Amino acid sequence: MDLQCDVIVIGGGMAGGCAALSAAEAGADVVLLEKQSELGGSSAMSGGLLVFADTDLQRSKGIVDSDAILFKDLREVGKFDNEETIVQSYVDNQLATYEWLCHHGVKFDPDLQVAGGMSVPRGHSTDPADTVRLLGKRNLANGKVRILTVAAGQRLLRNAESSRVEGLQFSHNNAAATIRCSNGVILACGGFGHNKELIHKFVPQYDNAVFVGGAGNVGDGLKMAWELGADFRDMAHIKGTYGKHPVDTSNPHSCLCVYKGGIAVNEHGKRYVNESLSYKLLGDACLLQPNACTYQIMDQNIYEQSDHKDKIADFERRLEEGLLVRAESLDELARLFDLPADTLAATVADYNRYVDQGRDPEFGREHLVHTFGQLRKIQRAPFYGYASTACVYGTYAGVRVDPDMRVLNVFGEPIRALYAAGEMVGGLHGAAYMSGSSLGKAAIFGRVAARTACSLRD
């Protein structure tokens, strides 16, 4: 098979779907390659939360948000180790992307979520698998997109004289194939969580960690770009996410009771962290505790904040699954988890006193999440506990790009006609991570990459 098109998109998740459709709408002939037998990747497995600001849904609920507030939050949660220009690109293009998705029929739940790193509710929730399927249908209906599944990118082709990327070697149904393009290649191949060699190379401390993500996330795009001299970003910040049950394999999502008002204690029954931090930083703190296992503690008032539309706050489902433990008293809860009862009781009493005082002198917690929400006391029986550790849901690091999603080499120069989007793009998150910004950047940066490729800004 030898093909010709304007734009090649590698990867059929949220980033690839948005990139292909945007390029087609700009008039380009597109070939979209997906390694697996169906579209989706990690995007379809995600919690379905996207970060947007100043949307009609927010305004209808009186939520005041803006580009400036979003920019500030993203920079702060990233500990200012993210690239300002990449954060600005996200902010500049986020509202138009939200409206574009709505135009194409993506349905967002009217109940907005507030989660890690947000100062206001801006988590726009949708069914991620349905959204990826919808994008696939829109691509096919456009008439300018050809989708090939079981098609894995292998090596980028570069013009020897101009150094422009002009095509791709790939396999289709295990047969060798080549495709040429006039405008360039958009890498939307996801991360590398299922590549033990790359994990050991970049984050050996996670050699034995649990990774959850699309089966195709083995770093194909990273290696193809690397061969052409691409620079990397945020590799040092690959982290586990807090809230994964340490022994359960049936539910792949984290549960974050702490963001509704609960506290986190270690095996000694003591708090060890400011629970309002980004769940990436909570993951770091958890891994430093004995056996990397901790417990989220909450009472009935907090349990009643359960939200079945929000996977990380669906406490009722966790109770039905037998993962959330219920007890009529703190003493009983301590016995069920083999925690020192006196210490746990003292920890909860101290925390309740801090809530009354409006100040947490131990760890500086002031809000439920980031700078949002008033703290809640833990006092009304029954009480609940959730054993928790850290799990790596995505690498969220990769090639360095400029604000137009052109891949940069180690000298900061664009690799001509090579673009990237989605999880394999570094520079946005920095040291930590705002919930929903990964799926958000997949959609936003997919559209930006397509716009750049179609304008031939290489």
Side-chain angles (χ1 to χ4, degrees):
M1 179 185 294
D2 293 298
L3 302 174
Q4 178 72 42
C5 65
D6 296 321
V7 176
I8 302 169
V9 178
I10 309 176
M14 178 72 80
C18 290
L21 185 53
S22 296
E25 290 177 335
D29 290 315
V30 182
V31 173
L32 171 63
L33 307 178
E34 167 54 47
K35 178 194 293 186
Q36 304 302 312
S37 59
E38 59 183 23
L39 303 178
S42 291
S43 297
M45 301 171 61
S46 74
L49 207 64
L50 293 89
V51 164
F52 301 115
D54 195 28
T55 65
D56 54 355
L57 287 178
Q58 286 180 306
R59 293 191 295 271
S60 70
K61 296 180 178 297
I63 298 170
V64 178
D65 202 1
S66 66
D67 285 355
I69 299 172
L70 174 60
F71 179 86
K72 179 176 181 291
D73 285 352
L74 285 169
R75 290 284 281 150
E76 286 180 351
V77 77
K79 302 295 183 183
F80 298 96
D81 201 22
N82 40 13
E83 290 195 29
E84 185 172 352
T85 58
I86 304 305
V87 174
Q88 190 64 59
S89 183
Y90 185 107
V91 170
D92 289 345
N93 293 282
Q94 57 88 20
L95 186 57
T97 298
Y98 164 77
E99 293 171 345
W100 180 83
L101 289 169
C102 291
H103 168 74
H104 280 290
V106 177
K107 303 297 183 185
F108 291 101
D109 194 294
D111 293 328
L112 300 169
Q113 307 296 329
V114 60
M118 302 180 193
S119 61
V120 298
R122 64 166 68 100
H124 293 66
S125 182
T126 187
D127 185 302
D130 284 349
T131 298
V132 174
R133 283 192 289 267
L134 175 62
L135 289 170
K137 292 177 181 177
R138 290 288 188 266
N139 272 301
L140 290 175
N142 181 278
K144 295 184 73 65
V145 181
R146 179 173 181 178
I147 298 176
L148 300 178
T149 57
V150 197
Q154 295 174 330
R155 306 285 282 268
L156 294 166
L157 301 176
R158 202 175 194 180
N159 185 286
E161 296 181 1
S162 67
S163 296
R164 292 185 81 253
V165 173
E166 60 179 12
L168 176 75
Q169 293 177 351
F170 69 104
S171 67
H172 184 229
N173 291 319
N174 297 317
T178 302
I179 182 171
R180 301 279 174 175
C181 58
S182 58
N183 288 49
V185 175
I186 299 174
L187 299 173
C189 315
F192 55 95
H194 291 305
N195 186 318
K196 291 184 177 296
E197 179 182 353
L198 290 180
I199 290 298
H200 183 73
K201 184 182 296 289
F202 293 114
V203 279
Q205 66 270 29
Y206 283 105
D207 277 349
N208 298 314
V210 176
F211 284 81
V212 175
N217 282 12
V218 296
D220 295 333
L222 188 74
K223 291 192 289 186
M224 284 188 280
W226 197 352
E227 183 180 29
L228 303 192
D231 198 5
F232 298 150
R233 192 68 165 75
D234 292 347
M235 295 301 191
H237 297 311
I238 295 171
K239 301 175 184 294
T241 293
Y242 184 61
K244 179 73 174 66
H245 196 281
V247 298
D248 176 68
T249 58
S250 61
N251 193 324
H253 300 286
S254 286
C255 180
L256 288 163
C257 315
V258 293
Y259 286 167
K260 295 294 185 180
I263 60 173
V265 302
N266 58 23
E267 292 183 350
H268 301 305
K270 295 182 177 181
R271 289 177 66 222
Y272 58 90
V273 71
N274 174 350
E275 294 92 343
S276 70
L277 295 175
S278 163
Y279 49 49
K280 294 291 182 183
L281 299 180
L282 295 182
D284 280 352
C286 172
L287 292 176
L288 295 175
Q289 302 310 303
N291 297 312
C293 183
T294 65
Y295 304 88
Q296 297 182 67
I297 307 297
M298 62 181 173
D299 71 351
Q300 182 64 23
N301 290 335
I302 299 171
Y303 174 81
E304 290 174 359
Q305 304 301 310
S306 177
D307 184 352
H308 71 276
K309 298 176 183 177
D310 183 0
K311 292 181 175 65
I312 66 173
D314 193 352
F315 307 144
E316 292 181 357
R317 179 182 176 186
R318 303 307 171 97
L319 187 63
E320 293 171 355
E321 294 171 336
L323 303 177
L324 186 68
V325 175
R326 171 177 167 160
E328 295 304 316
S329 68
L330 283 174
D331 280 353
E332 181 187 358
L333 190 65
R335 287 195 298 274
L336 291 172
F337 283 133
D338 197 23
L339 303 176
D342 290 345
T343 303
L344 179 62
T347 296
V348 172
D350 287 344
Y351 183 77
N352 288 340
R353 188 171 67 255
Y354 301 156
V355 175
D356 285 335
Q357 296 171 350
R359 179 175 175 270
D360 169 14
E362 283 193 274
F363 301 101
R365 186 179 191 183
E366 298 179 353
H367 301 281
L368 297 181
V369 184
H370 194 46
T371 60
F372 176 84
Q374 293 185 336
L375 300 181
R376 298 184 172 113
K377 296 169 71 172
I378 300 172
Q379 58 185 357
R380 178 186 165 203
F383 299 91
Y384 301 84
Y386 193 86
S388 302
T389 188
C391 173
V392 184
Y393 288 97
T395 42
Y396 304 125
V399 295
R400 186 182 173 198
V401 295
D402 70 4
D404 295 314
M405 298 302 115
R406 298 181 295 180
V407 177
L408 304 179
N409 66 19
V410 293
F411 296 103
E413 304 161 342
I415 298 173
R416 299 188 67 194
L418 183 63
Y419 316 95
E423 185 182 342
M424 66 171 294
V425 168
L428 176 69
H429 303 306
Y433 170 77
M434 180 185 294
S435 302
S437 61
S438 181
L439 206 56
K441 82 173 183 181
I444 294 165
F445 290 165
R447 295 186 71 235
V448 172
R451 183 178 66 207
T452 308
C454 290
S455 67
L456 289 174
R457 294 184 59 193
D458 62 354

